[in-house]
Amino acid sequence: MRQRLISEMKAYLESIPEENRIDAINAFRLALHELSPFKEQPVDCVLWVKQECIDGNDYNPNNVAPPEKRLLLKSLEADGFTQPVVVMQHRENHFEIIDGFHRHELGKEKPALKKQLKGYLPVTCIRSGKQTRADRMASTVRHNRARGRHKIHDMSEIVRELAQLGWKDERISKELGMDSDEVLRLKQINGLLELFADRRFSRAWTVK
C-alpha cells in the first residue's frame, strides 16, 4: 500500500505545472508534519516560500563581515542551502525572518542563486502561539547568542524596546538568556532613565 501511495503521488506531481507542484509538495509536507512524531520541531517541516513573501527585520543584532559573507555565498553556490531560513508568520502569507537574514539576502539578490531557487527560499516556521514583535525579537536574539554573535549597541536597542513594550527585567533575562547584570548593563548603554524606573539604587550610585 505504501508503495502504491508513493507511485500515485509521484504520478500526480509529474502531471501538474511546476508552480502548482511546489504548492502541492508544501501541502503534502504540512500533512505529514501534522502526523509526525517530531511535529513539535520546526525543522521537521521545511517549506518552499516565494521570496517576496519573506520580510527582513529591523532588529537583527548579527553582523557578517565581508570575508564571511563571501564564504557564505561560496557555500551556497557549491553545497546549496543546507539550512533553511527560520521565520515566524507575522501577517497572512508573509513571514518575518528570525534567523538566516544573510542566506535570504544572497538567495534573493545573487542572479545564479535566484535562478537555481526559482524565486523561492526554503523556510522553517516557528509556530508558537501569540507571535508579537517582542516574541520575534527575542527569538532572533536567542538564535544569534547561541552562535556567540551579536552587536552590543543593537542588543541594547532590543532591550530598550522590550522594556518599553512592558517586559520586566526578569522576563528579558529569561527570554534572551541573560543574567540580570547583563540586562542592566545593556539598559545603561542607552542611558534612558525610564529603563531604571523599577529599580532602587543608593544615592552614591550613578549611571555613567
Side-chain angles (χ1 to χ4, degrees), residues 59-64 99 102 144 147 149-151 154:
Y59 49 76
N60 189 353
N62 183 16
N63 188 35
V64 174
D99 185 64
H102 301 290
N144 286 335
R147 290 193 301 270
R149 298 177 183 174
H150 61 276
K151 294 188 292 184
D154 288 348

Side-chain angles (χ1 to χ4, degrees), residues 1 21 96-97 132 167 198:
M1 179 178 179
R21 191 183 313 154
E96 185 170 285
I97 295 173
T132 65
W167 282 28
D198 60 346

